[in-house]
Amino acid sequence: MSKKFNVSNPSGFPEFTLSEEQVRREWVAIIEDIFQRHGFTFMSTPLVEREENLLGKGGEAKEMYVLKRLLDHDDDNTHSGNALRFDHTVPLGLYVARHFNELNFPFRRAVIGPNFRGERAQKGRYRQFDQCDIDIVGNESLSVASDAQIVAVMVEVFSALEIGDFVMRMNHRKVLLGYFEKIGVDMEKLPVALKIVDDLEKLSREKIVENFGEEGISSDRAEKILDFVNFTGDTQKVLEFLISEKTDSDSVFNEGVDDLETLVKVLQAMNVNEDCYKLDLKIARGLDYYTGMVFEGQIVDHPKFGSVCGGGRYEDLAQMFTGKFLPAVGVAIGFTRLLRQCLDAGIVKVGKASPTEILVVAADDVSFAPALFVGQQLREMGLYVENFVEKKKLAKKFAYADKQQISYVIVVGENESREDKVMVKNLVEGSQELVDVESLGSYFLGE
Amino acid sequence: MSKKFNVSNPSGFPEFTLSEEQVRREWVAIIEDIFQRHGFTFMSTPLVEREENLLGKGGEAKEMYVLKRLLDHDDDNTHSGNALRFDHTVPLGLYVARHFNELNFPFRRAVIGPNFRGERAQKGRYRQFDQCDIDIVGNESLSVASDAQIVAVMVEVFSALEIGDFVMRMNHRKVLLGYFEKIGVDMEKLPVALKIVDDLEKLSREKIVENFGEEGISSDRAEKILDFVNFTGDTQKVLEFLISEKTDSDSVFNEGVDDLETLVKVLQAMNVNEDCYKLDLKIARGLDYYTGMVFEGQIVDHPKFGSVCGGGRYEDLAQMFTGKFLPAVGVAIGFTRLLRQCLDAGIVKVGKASPTEILVVAADDVSFAPALFVGQQLREMGLYVENFVEKKKLAKKFAYADKQQISYVIVVGENESREDKVMVKNLVEGSQELVDVESLGSYFLGE
């Protein structure tokens, strides 16, 4: 080697092993199927958008990667002005703005693909990670039943992944903000109060009261908020509690409670397993853009995984780009992180490194061409077949099949070929059988 | 809007419409299936690698995008040192280096995913584009039969895509370089002579002779090269011509000819349609890293599409990172460009914008919950079903189904529900039928 390379993955950009990758592909197939069975349409927007659009209205700094052409290295003026997307939601807003007239509303979008965040790397935080999103975008209005559909799809997805009991914790921003208003928290303190609630589960009660205090919210009010958000019980009990808190003057609070009531009714109508969702008044979701329902999914036996999916109602993303009122609701699964966590925790077991079912080998030089032909015929029947074509001893070919966990080896040999037969070895059972070439298809496909 | 956004796609980063996207997904499914049936294993490496590794040994400037954290904008010292991959081949070399001890050789890798080039945007050139690659990496040796397997897979893929007759044009670097040597071209002129042959089809004969002349290759030799590479005929005829040119002293040339002979024999043994491949001595492939076989695919009726896939044998990529001799052969399909070309040329027709088969609507408020339940039941049977849940008039709901080209609308109404029936409307045939809720499954699945 003329030069020494550091070939390790750049920090924050890991990859799966081949057998892990097979699980990844199975998961993607499961999620794609469920998304599509619920009427969501996949689309793939570019990974790169204009920096100013990704930054949005606020223009605040985000942990984002901007692109520079290597050849412009020393010339900052040619800065491309483009950046890698950091989520699927802003690109959705841009897509809707670009294609508004072609789209049919409510627009149901699905996407599975990578996003990028230029964070300092740390365990469990990736700089490139796949997210699986579904969103429903309405034109001028969008019923609460859409929010329920999103929750129902998540319950179905996590049940299909078989990684343990899943629960979607659901709340409403208007319930929280309305309650803060009710007890007299200043209007301008509402966002910061929401943020404190969002961090609730990480801190002690004392610390939270202190945090409220630092923001000028009295300990009396802080205690009230804590009692309110910590109210627990089954769905019906929480709903009854919320209804009991309604008064004629609390229009924001009441709207939130009414939405949650409708949400639960729709989930019941869809026959969604009641163990898989609950009202949880502590859920606030950090992101600014949520305006109504918010939800966070959790694997019950693995609270340390954190929220495995999260989402809610937002009304400003497409509006920012279109000037139109396009209320939307969506959710994102943190796919890469979740899969890594499930693999590391042993909840998901890896199997073979490839889908190959049969290895075809030639026992002698004369059988090289016939072996190729046999392999090709089986492939045409839809089987997953590899021809081992390297000049190696038969034992080496079997060793390869063994390592690859390929169940069957077909040995094509001169003597057997004369009678139009091949030897089929079952490596799992350690058995072998002479099979007519003509009946290989029915042998493997059982037809 | 407080601010005006330019929402158009950044130049060179286009996207497909929803119905085009459905075709894209079909193509991906077809290609994935064929790759896997031939024993190739999918893996997904990160989109980002160390800049120095992507640049490789030479360290020459490439049209590459390097990443910068937005928050480090004004501080060039924190340059991340990472860049977006520009092909799937260098990352394969890195992957093999990282995972050498886990891998089973020959290692058969498949990948479908985006690559990035920081080129000035022009029509048909993308800055982000999907490529579909397969590669076979040997440990110390790799038989020519592997090269043939790559060709056979491409023939199968392009036949399955149904975009017209496909032909793989095949040649061998050693045949070209060996021939140049034979006729006395200086050793140090060999790479530049190869480059001139690579541009042959774009230029006039006079211009080519002139180009050779500028590089110090005599017009006599230039004419010989031109006659040689322009030799045409069916596979057998070209092989015979090449064999007739062999002499005992031309070891490089002879190796190339022997490889091509073996290649053709294996293709014949695999029963690959002879119309779908040919020996074409003009094929050189621009890229430096090819060392043996080279091939380029073409859609016969659309030469303007250019090469729709290209590849060959290379021996230095993994070696560079591992210090081991790991000969490899691979091919890449220029997926995004090809699909765009086929769509624009009308070779591929788009259909529906989503896979939804059935829209379920409620005719009245009482039927809202039953409609949700019916939809969910059909989904559980594997059907693609959307519930329209917005409060709109029935006509609006039908207009939505119509625009989305959904074939069936199930109307759940109070009267019909009393008899456990729903109205099924077939929008394609303009017919309707009352169906028992219980037998909806067999109605749609024909069981």
Side-chain angles (χ1 to χ4, degrees), chain B residues 220-427:
Chain B
D220 181 44
R221 289 198 176 106
E223 294 289 351
K224 272 190 183 156
I225 292 174
L226 282 169
D227 286 343
F228 178 77
V229 300
N230 281 311
F231 184 89
T232 36
D234 63 23
T235 305
Q236 209 45 48
K237 202 175 145 202
V238 178
L239 272 184
E240 278 161 19
F241 166 66
L242 290 176
I243 292 166
S244 74
E245 292 277 330
K246 282 167 78 170
T247 65
D248 285 349
S249 57
D250 308 324
S251 63
V252 173
F253 183 78
N254 297 354
E255 274 176 42
V257 175
D258 293 349
D259 277 1
L260 287 180
E261 261 196 283
T262 309
L263 175 73
V264 170
K265 267 188 204 144
V266 178
L267 290 174
Q268 285 166 347
M270 289 181 81
N271 209 22
V272 177
N273 182 345
E274 290 188 7
D275 295 335
C276 296
Y277 60 86
K278 70 173 177 196
L279 297 176
D280 189 330
L281 305 179
K282 288 187 295 299
I283 297 301
R285 300 295 296 157
L287 284 170
D288 311 327
Y289 58 71
Y290 293 116
T291 52
M293 218 76 83
V294 280
F295 20 78
E296 266 184 39
Q298 205 175 294
I299 305 300
V300 178
D301 290 337
H302 295 274
K304 280 201 175 155
F305 285 6
S307 60
V308 294
C309 67
R313 176 67 79 122
Y314 54 95
E315 280 163 4
D316 199 29
L317 271 185
Q319 186 166 26
M320 183 165 84
F321 300 122
T322 60
K324 295 183 168 68
F325 180 59
L326 304 170
V329 60
V331 71
I333 302 173
F335 183 90
T336 303
R337 190 165 143 231
L338 176 65
L339 177 53
R340 185 76 270 155
Q341 287 170 323
C342 288
L343 289 165
D344 290 350
I347 300 171
V348 168
K349 301 267 182 281
V350 298
K352 292 166 59 172
S354 95
T356 304
E357 300 164 311
I358 304 165
L359 188 74
V360 181
V361 305
D364 40 60
D365 287 352
V366 205
S367 304
F368 189 74
L372 289 169
F373 190 69
V374 165
Q376 194 59 12
Q377 277 186 308
L378 292 173
R379 253 171 241 128
E380 279 164 20
M381 293 173 191
L383 289 160
Y384 293 78
V385 185
E386 184 180 335
N387 276 84
F388 193 98
V389 291
E390 296 308 303
K391 283 203 199 311
K392 299 261 159 123
K393 290 202 175 121
L394 205 52
K396 290 263 182 197
K397 298 177 184 177
F398 274 95
Y400 174 85
D402 215 46
K403 267 188 167 179
Q404 288 284 85
Q405 298 178 265
I406 298 171
S407 306
Y408 294 93
V409 177
I410 295 179
V411 185
V412 182
E414 197 179 356
N415 293 335
E416 295 83 358
S417 286
R418 254 184 240 118
E419 294 169 20
D420 286 323
K421 286 182 192 298
V422 292
M423 183 64 83
V424 178
K425 301 225 181 199
N426 182 327
L427 298 195

Side-chain angles (χ1 to χ4, degrees), chain A residues 92 135-138 142 147 290-291 312-318 326-330:
Chain A
L92 170 65
D135 294 85
I136 307 174
V137 183
L142 187 70
D147 304 55
Y290 292 115
T291 52
R313 177 67 80 122
Y314 54 96
E315 278 161 9
D316 198 31
L317 270 185
L326 304 170
V329 59

Side-chain angles (χ1 to χ4, degrees), chain A residues 67-252:
Chain A
L67 300 188
K68 277 190 68 172
R69 288 177 60 209
L70 180 63
L71 295 181
D72 293 335
H73 236 190
D74 301 319
D75 177 3
D76 253 344
N77 297 323
T78 55
H79 186 284
S80 75
N82 294 327
L84 289 170
R85 69 186 185 199
F86 55 84
D87 73 3
H88 290 311
T89 313
V90 182
L92 170 65
L94 287 163
Y95 186 89
V96 169
R98 293 202 271 264
H99 300 270
F100 185 78
N101 292 319
E102 305 153 29
L103 295 179
N104 214 354
F105 292 93
F107 172 46
R108 300 164 77 88
R109 178 289 291 260
V111 62
I112 299 180
N115 290 320
F116 300 84
R117 286 189 199 164
E119 300 185 86
R120 300 242 166 254
Q122 46 176 303
K123 195 174 153 49
R125 304 289 275 182
Y126 299 119
R127 289 168 165 177
Q128 177 191 325
F129 48 91
D130 285 324
Q131 289 188 302
C132 313
D133 282 34
I134 44 173
D135 294 85
I136 307 174
V137 183
N139 191 355
E140 297 190 355
S141 68
L142 187 70
S143 79
V144 174
S146 295
D147 304 55
Q149 290 183 326
I150 298 277
V151 173
V153 172
M154 285 301 105
V155 169
E156 207 168 316
V157 162
F158 283 94
S159 150
L161 293 182
E162 298 183 331
I163 53 173
D165 292 342
F166 169 84
V167 66
M168 189 68 119
R169 305 159 76 193
M170 314 181 299
N171 196 7
H172 202 293
R173 278 275 176 100
K174 288 186 179 167
V175 166
L176 287 176
L177 296 172
Y179 186 79
F180 301 160
E181 262 187 73
K182 271 164 90 80
I183 62 166
V185 175
D186 285 348
M187 281 297 281
E188 71 266 25
K189 303 279 186 205
L190 296 184
V192 75
L194 209 57
K195 269 223 154 59
I196 293 172
V197 170
D198 197 43
D199 285 334
L200 215 73
E201 290 181 290
K202 297 173 205 148
L203 305 170
S204 68
R205 192 165 174 120
E206 292 68 36
K207 180 69 191 154
I208 300 156
V209 175
E210 192 186 315
N211 286 350
F212 276 119
E214 274 169 19
E215 298 296 341
I217 296 166
S218 69
S219 62
D220 182 45
R221 290 198 175 106
E223 295 287 351
K224 273 191 183 158
I225 292 174
L226 281 169
D227 286 343
F228 177 77
V229 300
N230 281 313
F231 185 90
T232 35
D234 64 23
T235 306
Q236 210 44 48
K237 200 174 148 203
V238 178
L239 272 184
E240 278 162 20
F241 166 66
L242 291 175
I243 292 164
S244 75
E245 292 277 327
K246 282 166 79 169
T247 64
D248 285 349
S249 56
D250 309 323
S251 63
V252 172

